[in-house]
Amino acid sequence: MEGKPDGALLIVAHGSTVNPDSSAPTLAHAAEIRRRKIFADVGCAFWKEEPSLRDALFLFDAESIREVYVVPNFISEGYFTQTVVPRELELNGRITERSTGQIWKYCEPVGNHPMMTELLLKRARDVASDIDPAEATLLIVAHGTDLNENSAVAAKREAEKIRALRKYATVLNVYMEEPPLVSDWRKLTKTRNIIVVPFFISDGLHSYEDIPVMLGIAEERRLSSRRPAEDGRLESRPSDVFRSNPYKLDDRSLFYAPSIGTDPGFADIIIEQALNAKS
Amino acid sequence: MANSIERCLESVLTAPLHCGQILVQETTTGHFVLSHRDDKPVDQLKVFRRAEDASNIAKYDDAGNYRPLKTAPNLRPGWRLELDTLEDLRRALDYFYPGRLAIFAAWKSGRLQTTVLRETLDRQSGMYRVAAKISDSQIDDLVADFCRSNGGCLRTILWKRDARATLTSTKLPDEKFDPNVDQAASGSPSAPTASTTSAATIPLLCQEACNLLIAECRKVVKGESALDL
Ligand code: SF4
């Protein structure tokens, strides 16, 4: 793969002041990309965590770093990629030249990449490896009604692309807050096996609790942002919800995957988005 | 190839180094040992060996609560991080105090620019736009409480309230704005004072108000702040 010896990668993401797992996948993908030594430097910046998007302006020394590739770790274009990130990073379009001569290239969000379809299929295979797709329904879950983001549109697009491959008996995009609703999965699906993949950047309240409750595979527990018990015996961990597959509900088997953004394959897509930057 | 941040780090590694609540010591074999400043050498410390371990140590405080602000003075004690290279040290410090080394290097080389609070507030959109309605006296009180080194945040504030103001909050001591003062020593009753320590210090600099402070400004405007102002 072509390296960027005088280029840095900056992965920008939302982060959270309450969810300890929000930035974890972004940091893990950054560590993996750093390990591959494609870029002279790899950094992350967050809207709600440190380093902030404003800090990012000073992360790369113009003497050694001539180009900075900014890749938004977001599922879709929306308020953050179109308003917050360009404003905080002082970007004026796809290419911005700083007073130092350093060039910042604003890349497409990760969720826009065509490889996302393959990754969703891989996730579905990973979580239900013994299941014949031809006899299963695949549900791609997004939030819906989030006025600022187009994640519902992105989930619909991915569902359409996977449907066109004719691998699964049925492929549906479902939402937490607007029809077709996750909670209506029994009515929406006819197959015995159902595979559910949350189309989110990280795990958190939605994937740990909200969606499982809507699916009927978990009780409401009031998830805390506290550290899980280190001996692993006293408390259950939020991620345990992904370890009890399949869930048997009536005559159905339900397979529930972690959020797509936690897949290590995201690192490849982040690199692709950077290398695809307009010049 | 060592980058400019590592070179900057190397230049201050002349003695034991303090960075926030962390003590960095170089071994005779050129390796690095990091620990919490309040831990004594005799304490039973859990040993870690990867820079990435710093991310997990920094995530929760001693009571197990998530730490949304990594420069808050609530880093948990009880660990010892042993690292082989300068690059590992840089990455570990970047997990403990994300971005602060780069900001320090930018400051040392004269590249760092600060942004006044009013400008940060005026730039906000969406749910944070309303935060700009905060009054000067409310800012005075809020910053004094929210950013104070003793219990709030260990950063040295470099930004001003507005383009006219000479100070950020009249209710914080002058040391809070002085990068030569070790905020962790001035904020913690158990740590040695700045004058008695021989360690070099990397200050944690705040060149622009963080998102947490902006969120708190919004709460003040909306009358929802839990702070006793
Ligand atoms: S504004 Fe700066 S000093 Fe105040 S809490 Fe945020 S990071 Fe700390």
Side-chain angles (χ1 to χ4, degrees):
Chain A
M1 181 176 290
E2 170 204 9
K4 298 278 182 191
D6 57 0
L9 171 68
L10 176 68
I11 310 173
V12 296
H14 194 280
S16 166
T17 56
V18 291
N19 171 14
D21 294 333
S22 174
S23 56
T26 302
L27 294 173
H29 304 322
E32 167 59 23
I33 298 169
R34 205 172 282 133
R35 204 185 54 75
R36 296 190 203 174
K37 299 196 189 312
I38 299 166
F39 301 92
D41 204 353
V42 180
C44 300
F46 302 93
W47 173 231
K48 295 255 180 158
E49 286 181 49
E50 301 151 88
S52 67
L53 294 168
R54 298 295 289 169
D55 287 335
L57 291 172
F58 305 102
L59 291 186
F60 309 108
D61 183 357
E63 254 176 57
S64 52
I65 305 289
R66 302 307 298 156
E67 292 189 332
V68 178
Y69 301 88
V70 182
V71 177
N73 194 18
F74 283 83
I75 286 296
S76 61
E77 301 275 9
Y79 175 61
F80 288 99
T81 61
Q82 287 164 347
T83 303
V84 176
V85 173
R87 182 189 71 209
E88 300 291 293
L89 294 181
E90 299 174 13
L91 302 175
N92 36 39
R94 286 282 163 211
I95 297 179
T96 305
E97 183 172 352
R98 306 288 185 203
S99 59
T100 55
Q102 199 177 54
I103 307 281
W104 285 50
K105 294 188 174 177
Y106 194 30
C107 310
E108 298 265 325
V110 176
N112 274 8
H113 198 280
M115 279 162 72
M116 196 53 69
T117 314
E118 183 48 45
L119 203 64
L120 286 163
L121 284 165
K122 175 179 162 289
R123 251 287 126 112
R125 273 198 311 273
D126 287 350
V127 73
S129 49
D130 297 336
I131 299 302
D132 178 4
E135 291 172 8
T137 299
L138 177 60
L139 299 182
I140 314 264
V141 190
H143 189 271
T145 64
D146 35 356
L147 298 175
N148 294 328
E149 303 301 307
N150 299 311
S151 60
V153 177
K156 188 160 183 257
R157 179 195 65 221
E158 292 304 324
E160 275 164 10
K161 283 167 77 178
I162 297 175
R163 202 175 296 134
L165 299 173
R166 298 179 180 280
K167 280 189 174 170
Y168 283 86
T170 317
V171 184
L172 295 172
N173 45 296
V174 290
Y175 305 120
M176 297 171 62
E177 301 220 330
E178 65 182 282
L181 285 167
V182 186
S183 48
D184 285 338
W185 68 273
R186 280 189 178 82
K187 278 186 264 165
L188 296 167
T189 62
K190 295 196 176 62
T191 56
R192 180 181 294 263
N193 296 311
I194 325 283
I195 304 166
V196 185
V197 181
F199 199 34
F200 294 104
I201 284 296
S202 61
D203 281 321
L205 192 62
H206 291 334
S207 62
Y208 287 146
E209 184 169 322
D210 297 341
I211 297 169
V213 169
M214 289 173 186
L215 290 169
I217 60 174
E219 307 270 309
E220 231 159 301
R221 293 182 296 167
R222 211 171 325 137
L223 194 73
S224 79
S225 57
R226 291 174 57 79
R227 177 175 58 206
E230 266 165 13
D231 61 10
R233 277 178 297 129
L234 301 174
E235 295 172 53
S236 62
R237 289 165 190 255
S239 55
D240 287 348
V241 72
F242 308 120
R243 298 208 184 89
S244 311
N245 289 317
Y247 290 89
K248 299 280 183 192
L249 296 151
D250 308 326
D251 57 342
R252 314 280 200 108
S253 289
L254 200 141
F255 300 81
Y256 185 54
S259 288
I260 189 69
T262 61
D263 195 293
F266 250 55
D268 300 316
I269 302 185
I270 292 170
I271 295 168
E272 282 292 316
Q273 291 299 47
L275 299 182
N276 283 341
K278 299 230 167 26
S279 50
Chain B
M1 188 192 69
N3 68 20
S4 59
I5 296 172
E6 278 163 34
R7 284 198 299 274
C8 174
L9 179 57
E10 206 165 19
S11 73
V12 289
L13 263 174
T14 48
L17 177 70
H18 283 160
C19 182
Q21 290 181 284
I22 293 168
L23 168 67
V24 181
Q25 289 170 294
E26 196 168 352
T27 67
T28 47
T29 48
H31 297 190
F32 303 98
V33 177
L34 284 71
S35 59
H36 193 292
R37 284 169 67 166
D38 291 350
D39 280 328
K40 304 281 171 295
V42 291
D43 288 345
Q44 283 285 323
L45 304 177
K46 189 164 179 200
V47 176
F48 298 90
R49 294 208 165 79
R50 298 177 318 137
E52 282 72 28
D53 292 327
S55 173
N56 285 328
I57 298 170
K59 199 179 260 188
Y60 303 96
D61 67 14
D62 211 20
N65 298 306
Y66 175 55
R67 298 174 68 229
L69 180 65
K70 299 292 180 278
T71 48
N74 58 356
L75 182 69
R76 69 176 155 117
W79 50 269
R80 176 184 158 99
L81 180 58
E82 300 177 356
L83 301 170
D84 289 340
T85 65
L86 191 67
E87 192 195 330
D88 289 340
L89 174 62
R90 173 199 164 192
R91 280 194 295 120
L93 287 176
D94 207 45
Y95 281 119
F96 279 120
Y97 294 121
R100 282 13 273 167
L101 266 186
I103 297 293
F104 174 65
W107 176 73
K108 279 206 78 157
S109 64
R111 288 187 293 116
L112 189 66
Q113 285 159 13
T114 66
T115 305
V116 301
L117 178 59
R118 283 288 173 201
E119 196 181 318
T120 308
L121 285 167
D122 289 342
R123 215 181 50 231
Q124 303 301 313
S125 58
M127 64 180 281
Y128 294 109
R129 194 189 292 275
V130 68
K133 291 196 177 143
I134 190 167
S135 73
D136 285 351
S137 70
Q138 284 172 321
I139 289 176
D140 236 23
D141 289 336
L142 174 64
V143 172
D145 196 77
F146 199 78
C147 303
R148 75 198 140 88
S149 296
N150 187 358
C153 175
L154 292 173
R155 291 203 213 177
T156 305
I157 296 181
L158 300 180
W159 45 268
K160 303 275 191 281
R161 192 181 65 208
D162 53 56
R164 286 164 295 119
T166 48
L167 262 187
T168 310
S169 163
T170 52
K171 298 186 174 163
L172 282 169
D174 289 350
E175 295 104 80
K176 184 66 180 174
F177 311 98
D178 183 353
N180 295 314
V181 172
D182 180 359
Q183 299 300 323
S186 69
S188 155
S190 58
T193 60
S195 57
T196 61
T197 168
S198 61
T201 301
I202 293 183
L204 306 168
L205 302 174
C206 184
Q207 81 284 8
E208 176 164 1
C210 69
N211 190 281
L212 286 167
L213 182 65
I214 301 303
E216 209 55 46
C217 289
R218 173 180 176 270
K219 283 190 198 160
V220 170
V221 171
K222 298 189 74 125
E224 295 166 356
S225 179
L227 296 178
D228 190 17
L229 299 180

